[in-house]
Amino acid sequence: MLNTENLVVRFGGVFALGGVDFAMTKGEVHCLVGPNGAGKSTFFKVVTGQIAPTSGRVSLGGSDITGEGSAQIVRRGIGIKMQTPQLFDDMTVEDTIWLGAYRGRGKAHARRRTAELLDELRLGEVARAEVGKLAHGLRQRVEIASVLAGDPELILLDEPAAGMSDADVDFLAALILRLRGQHSFLVVEHDMRFIRMIADRVTVFHNGKIFLEGRSDAVLSDQGVKDIYLGKGKAHA
Amino acid sequence: MDLVLILTLQGVVAIATILLFSIGLAIIFGMMRVINLAHGEFMMIGAYGAVKSHEAGLNLWVAMLVVAPLVAALFGLVVERVLIRHLYGRLIDTLLATWGLSLFTVGVVTMIFGNTTSGVPTPLGTLRIGDYGLGQYNLVIVGVTLLVLALVALVLKRTSAGVLARATMQNPEMIAALGYNPRRIYAATFAIGSGLAGLAGGLLAPLTGVIPAMGVAFVAKAFITVISGGAAVILGTGTAAAIYGVISQSVTYVSTSVIGEASLFLAAIILLRLLPNGFAGRFFKGGV
Amino acid sequence: MPQTFAPRHAGTLATSVLILGAAVVLPQTLGLFTLLQLTVYAVMAILALSLSITWGLGGVLCFGQAAFFGLGGYTYAVAVTNFGESTLPILLAVLVQALVALCLGWFMFMGRLSDLYVGVVTLCTSLILFNFANSTSDPWYRIGSAALNGFNGMPAIRGINIPFLPGALLSPVQSFVLTMLALLAVYLLCKTIAGSSWGRVVAATRQNPLRAELMGYDTARVKLGIFVIGSAVAGFAGCLFVNWNGFVSPDVFGLSMSAQIMIWMIVGGRETFVGPIVGAFALQALVSRLGVGSEINANVVLGGLLMIFVVLVPRGILPTVRDGLLSLGRKWGPGKTREVN
Amino acid sequence: MTDTNTTTKARGSTGLSRRRFTSLLLASGVSAPAILRASGARATDSVKMAALLDLSGGLDIYGRPMLMAMEMAVEEINATGGLNGKPLELITYDTQSNMQLYAQYAQQAALQDQVDLVHGGITSSSREVIRPILNRYNTLYLYSTQYEGGVCDRNTFCTGTTPAMTSKSPIPYTIDMWGPKFYSIGADYNAPRIMSDWSRTFGEQAGGEQVANDFFPLNVTEFGALITKIQQARPDFVCSALIGAAHLGFYRQWAAAGMLSEIPIFSFTFGSGNEHMMLPPEESEGIITPCSYFQEIDSALNRDWVSRYHARYGDDAPYQNNVSIGGYEGTWLWATAVRNAGTAEREAVIEAMEAGTSWTGPGGTLTMNAANHHSSRDIFFGRCTGGAWEPFHTWENQQPSDTDGRCDLIANPGQNVQFGAE
């Protein structure tokens, strides 16, 4: 459903992405891994409409979405969660989720969906608390709830497990597995334990290109992939 | 031919004047991300410093070139310590607070000196070009502006103090970890910016009347020039000053000064729309 | 703690009753002079609310609110001079400003200018208008039978009459009642917007435009909408001002006018709607008091207040007092505390 | 700034009881403001004059000396027995160079303080804010500064100079002296435009030619382009109606360009803002100005007045120019009418004024013109010499012909307009 063709991003003289052909199919949980600077974050930003590619094409379900802004991409049925939580600190949890559900669907739907999600993500107790006053793990959960509220077909998550406790990570993994039938997931992640729990397929980025792509267990046990991570350690030594 | 020459000279003077009264603001904005709407009042204080010390018997050039920037820099130090220090990182709040400072300063200076226009005569004689004449003092303005630009560029690029100042603005924790005191660097930068505003005020005093509210005439133009210039203090501000100087001067010559002024503001609006990060963001990334 | 701007019906009701009560009771108890003063304070309170909509609620940093206020005044003045009747001119004062804001806002928000640049562009706009209005003293500058008259301003402008009855000009007392009712209406408009679903989207856009975008909201359009509403209200205030004054001059576009509005808002409390109203009334009263037999320069007081509030009381009087009371209440009262982790 | 020990009283929160009384009165009939002037509400122990002047803000350089002039007049009037046995009380309002405050204080003076005369307003804008309010609340208005002329309003008396007075004779005189070709420049608003129009009218009648006519907003400080244009046009003299602090820049830049000794300047306005004292002599030498008053006028009355002024306010008291002295002249002219009428009551004073009240002071004789409510007066031609004025010619009894002929308040008392230039 999400495809890129020969995606190139150049900052000044530096290639951040050097021709990426990527494809994922509906219903799968797909993880992007790779050392820092491998290009996965840049890739994520292009796909979510935050930066325009220098050349190449991004398409969703066959239609070209290259160069569209985030809001337009979201309206096409993509949910996005960035690495740093993007929340409304002065708003209540309830209102935040409501806002995610309200767009294009009206108040009645938003009310119903908010109630469902508060329940599903076990946020009922803090429903009327201000988001800015919550602990980090809860904030991550609120943001995911607000993303789910828009009922996207495809959900893009940038390091959702970062800074979470093990219990929070387990909760999130369970949630993703539970939702896998209804949504597809593209997840940028470092936490290998988390990836092992959720991923169907994994794509490894290295030096702005795709190094390896395949089923989760096969990719994660590949010697070349391990070398990249080690090599990165060497390069910085 | 004489006419072309004199018009060109006037254009250069106009550009230099805009640069002169913008550069202090550009430093404070470009390096500290603080917008100082009381910039005009720093100029005013410099101008009063020059006029009053000259009236007290000081040599005019010393009054304009030394006393004016010193007085304004001292004032800047006080302002940084009392007001600006609490507002780093709050861009909009610096705007509001310095707007308050502007009103306050105008009020206080009015209470002290009254609204009477003071001034000093324009020094030097006349430059003759055929039938036309131009005050030689205008050339001094151009010269001092060039000198100031060169000095600022040198300090920012070449000296350790300049490098330190630029680094502090990018990462104060890092600089603190290296054993420097970022607060002192902020204070020094602000004082230098204020001092340059004072210098501009002192130098322009012989050309215009000095009154407590004189800053208003400059602040909007300085503000627009600096914002259009973007983060690069010299290249950005310089380009903006050149464009606005040429536009307002030539439009004024062919029509009226009202239309000249309006064309400057319109040009600013259009430029900001086309280059939302200023010239620096588009053309001089990382320059000074 | 309650979300700011969220409708607390009890408070809204109390404020509304207070304004309405003042409109009914004060004409019976106060002298004409005091009523005239209160009328202009109320006009300025409406102006403060207009910036509350644009900046407080919408987060659009408008340094040139005076531009819409002044244009509203001029629109009304020109129209009423030509028509000899005030109903259509009032509508025009509002509509023209909405249209101007739509064009300017389109230019700014669709170009995705950052807050700061929005500030610069609005500032430039008011400066251009100020310069332009000042340069219209040539008798050539006239619209229909209304000469713009430059720096001197347009004198002896007709006041507001009862709709479609040109002969029935409002008396000063009736103008007071009208202005208070207008203040009430604008206050309720603010509350309605803030409490509506769209108002939530506006608040979301203000607090975190990126998240709002990521939820699929077109933040440029949201900002444009709130900018248009705020500007239209400012235009309305301008028209009421001219009704009070019978006069409009380029001063209405001045920097000090825009500064004043911000000062009222900041001192009163920019996160609330009552705050700017209180700020407008209190500071106007202070400034006119300073002019009668005082040696203190009003600028010193206004400028000093602005600095003090930005640094020490950034939220303004009202929210600070309210929170103080609330925390006292939590300490001493029966209400339960709620800490969230 | 000034400490007064006379009847001058700044208005604080006094007059509460009267305000309460007014409130009671209003409770019965609020919608008819005229009722306010019911005699019961009128304090009868003194005659009151309100001064609405900018004592702070950009215009205070006019407002403060003007208030001093008013205070002097009030003190002298009280020292000579007051007005028909009652003391004259001066109530001061600082309008802070803010039009909104002009409206507020005019309302306060008329409705709350119930004064017998409002005297003040410096700019034409402020006058046009005040005038309708005082008309509405039936309070007499006196406007005493130099202005563009043309006000025709039964409730208003103007005692300052108008452009026709300073152009009709002075412009032909200047053309005789320097030549026919003149370049007009001025601040961009009504009064300078009207001055420029009159100078063209009277200049052409005298065989002169106005070669250009440029106007500048009050905040313009940069005159390089203008100076080049004037150098191109090579006129015999420059006719200036520049105004305010920013425009001082012109005279500085003009002198710096070496032009002061080449093309002389005639100015309607130089000196009205004490420009001759703000610029050094080398930038103002030889500029000539026609105007109704200079402190340097050489007459016994004036010498006496100037010495009394300095005795009252000290040696460094501000220079009294033709604008600020209006505060003194206007107050005395009105007081003379009040004395003639035997009452300060509005109708009676209007009638006394219209009977041609005349008063002679440091600037010569002022005589009120019944039909147009402007006073005729003497005009002096001054040359700026060493930073002071040197009067070198006098025209006596110049008529306010801007307003004359078009305005007849005797035939049409209801007339209330301001005529533009012809």
Side-chain angles (χ1 to χ4, degrees), chain D residues 111-398:
Chain D
L111 295 172
Q112 183 172 304
D113 299 333
Q114 312 210 338
V115 300
D116 297 283
L117 175 76
V118 170
H119 183 176
I122 294 173
T123 58
S124 292
S125 317
S126 60
R127 182 197 63 239
E128 289 309 303
V129 169
I130 297 174
R131 216 159 55 79
I133 293 170
L134 298 182
N135 259 311
R136 183 174 206 168
Y137 302 121
N138 293 322
T139 305
L140 198 63
Y141 179 40
L142 180 77
Y143 179 66
S144 58
T145 64
Q146 175 189 20
Y147 88 111
E148 72 273 14
V151 166
C152 180
D153 173 357
R154 187 160 181 272
N155 191 54
T156 301
F157 290 92
C158 304
T159 60
T161 1
T162 54
M165 295 183 191
T166 47
S167 343
K168 191 175 184 181
S169 310
I171 286 279
Y173 187 98
T174 307
I175 288 175
D176 273 354
M177 192 163 57
W178 286 336
K181 228 169 100 174
F182 60 98
Y183 195 113
S184 285
I185 55 179
D188 189 5
Y189 67 93
N190 287 15
R193 279 184 186 273
I194 291 173
M195 287 171 192
S196 169
D197 288 347
W198 284 115
S199 65
R200 183 177 53 240
T201 310
F202 291 124
E204 282 169 1
Q205 282 174 19
E209 182 203 354
Q210 184 180 47
V211 292
N213 200 1
D214 289 348
F215 296 98
F216 299 84
L218 287 163
N219 58 0
V220 167
T221 55
E222 170 51 50
F223 292 92
L226 167 69
I227 290 173
T228 308
K229 278 194 224 177
I230 300 179
Q231 287 167 339
Q232 270 181 285
R234 290 270 143 199
D236 293 314
F237 65 99
V238 172
C239 175
S240 155
L242 295 172
I243 287 173
H247 287 180
L248 276 183
F250 170 77
Y251 299 105
R252 290 181 185 283
Q253 292 160 33
W254 183 252
M259 299 307 294
L260 192 58
S261 53
E262 293 193 10
I263 302 179
I265 298 177
F266 165 98
S267 175
F268 288 111
T269 48
F270 194 86
S272 298
N274 292 350
E275 284 86 349
H276 62 292
M277 305 180 75
M278 292 167 186
L279 292 176
E282 58 266 36
E283 289 173 347
S284 63
E285 197 69 16
I287 296 176
I288 61 171
T289 297
C291 116
S292 63
Y293 182 71
F294 298 111
Q295 250 183 233
E296 292 86 345
I297 292 171
D298 192 25
S299 70
L301 255 174
N302 183 50
R303 279 194 300 272
D304 176 52
W305 188 84
V306 172
S307 67
R308 277 188 290 128
Y309 172 68
H310 284 297
R312 170 71 181 80
Y313 291 107
D315 285 342
D316 49 358
Y319 185 87
Q320 286 287 345
N321 60 33
N322 67 320
V323 175
S324 53
I325 193 125
Y328 182 81
E329 295 172 333
T331 306
W332 259 115
L333 188 69
W334 165 74
T336 309
V338 172
R339 284 177 176 172
N340 290 349
T343 168
E345 199 271 322
R346 177 173 162 274
E347 264 315 313
V349 174
I350 293 179
E351 279 166 25
M353 280 281 211
E354 288 180 345
T357 296
S358 183
W359 172 82
T360 304
T365 299
L366 279 71
T367 307
M368 187 47 67
N369 182 315
N372 58 39
H373 284 202
H374 284 62
S375 54
S376 61
R377 55 186 311 155
D378 301 347
I379 296 295
F380 304 87
F381 221 155
R383 179 181 287 112
C384 203
T385 315
W389 290 107
E390 189 186 282
F392 65 92
H393 194 90
T394 307
W395 293 275
E396 279 175 6
N397 197 21
Q398 296 294 297

Side-chain angles (χ1 to χ4, degrees), chain A residues 77-99:
Chain A
I78 292 187
I80 301 169
K81 186 199 158 325
M82 315 284 242
Q83 193 175 341
T84 45
Q86 296 293 336
L87 288 160
F88 312 118
D89 282 349
D90 289 347
M91 258 185 222
T92 63
V93 170
E94 197 173 39
D95 285 350
T96 306
I97 301 174
W98 184 92
L99 276 163

Side-chain angles (χ1 to χ4, degrees), chain A residues 50 70-71 74-75 80-82 86-91 95-96 98-100 102-103 107 126 128-130 133-135 138 143 146-147, chain C residues 1-4 112 196-219 338-341:
Chain A
Q50 292 173 78
S70 299
V74 168
R75 281 160 188 249
I80 301 169
K81 186 199 158 325
M82 315 284 242
Q86 296 293 336
L87 288 160
F88 312 118
D89 282 349
D90 289 347
M91 258 185 222
D95 285 350
T96 306
W98 184 92
L99 276 163
Y102 172 67
R103 192 211 15 102
K107 282 190 242 187
V126 292
R128 284 168 197 279
E130 265 180 73
K133 295 203 164 72
L134 299 180
L138 271 177
E143 195 180 10
S146 76
V147 171
Chain C
M1 205 155 294
Q3 186 216 324
T4 45
R112 313 235 155 222
S196 72
S197 305
W198 186 68
R200 260 190 238 190
V201 177
V202 173
T205 303
R206 177 187 76 238
Q207 289 188 31
N208 189 339
L210 177 58
R211 177 34 78 198
E213 284 273 309
L214 292 177
M215 284 174 166
Y217 293 107
D218 187 339
T219 53
R338 187 168 59 193
E339 291 297 325
V340 183
N341 293 306

Side-chain angles (χ1 to χ4, degrees), chain C residues 20-158:
Chain C
L20 198 62
V24 175
V25 176
L26 293 186
Q28 307 302 319
T29 53
L30 290 180
L32 180 57
F33 163 68
T34 317
L35 284 183
L36 284 168
Q37 302 256 301
L38 288 177
T39 309
V40 74
Y41 297 171
V43 170
M44 293 307 173
I46 294 175
L47 178 59
L49 279 180
S50 78
L51 189 61
S52 250
I53 296 176
T54 307
W55 184 35
L57 189 60
V60 175
L61 184 67
C62 182
F63 273 160
Q65 197 70 359
F68 301 105
F69 175 70
L71 267 183
Y74 269 97
T75 310
Y76 172 80
V78 167
V80 83
T81 307
N82 279 299
F83 302 157
E85 198 277 334
S86 68
T87 315
L88 193 58
I90 297 174
L91 283 177
L92 277 177
V94 175
L95 288 179
V96 169
Q97 272 33 265
L99 201 69
V100 171
L102 190 69
C103 299
L104 189 66
W106 186 271
F107 174 86
M108 295 190 302
F109 301 122
M110 295 303 161
R112 313 235 155 222
L113 292 186
S114 70
D115 281 358
L116 182 57
Y117 295 95
V118 168
V120 179
V121 170
T122 48
L123 180 77
C124 281
T125 309
S126 64
L127 289 175
I128 290 176
L129 287 170
F130 180 75
N131 283 339
F132 174 73
N134 260 323
S135 68
T136 54
S137 59
D138 194 313
W140 183 85
Y141 290 99
R142 55 169 57 244
I143 300 173
S145 57
L148 295 182
N149 215 22
F151 170 81
N152 291 53
M154 300 175 64
I157 300 162
R158 244 185 94 90

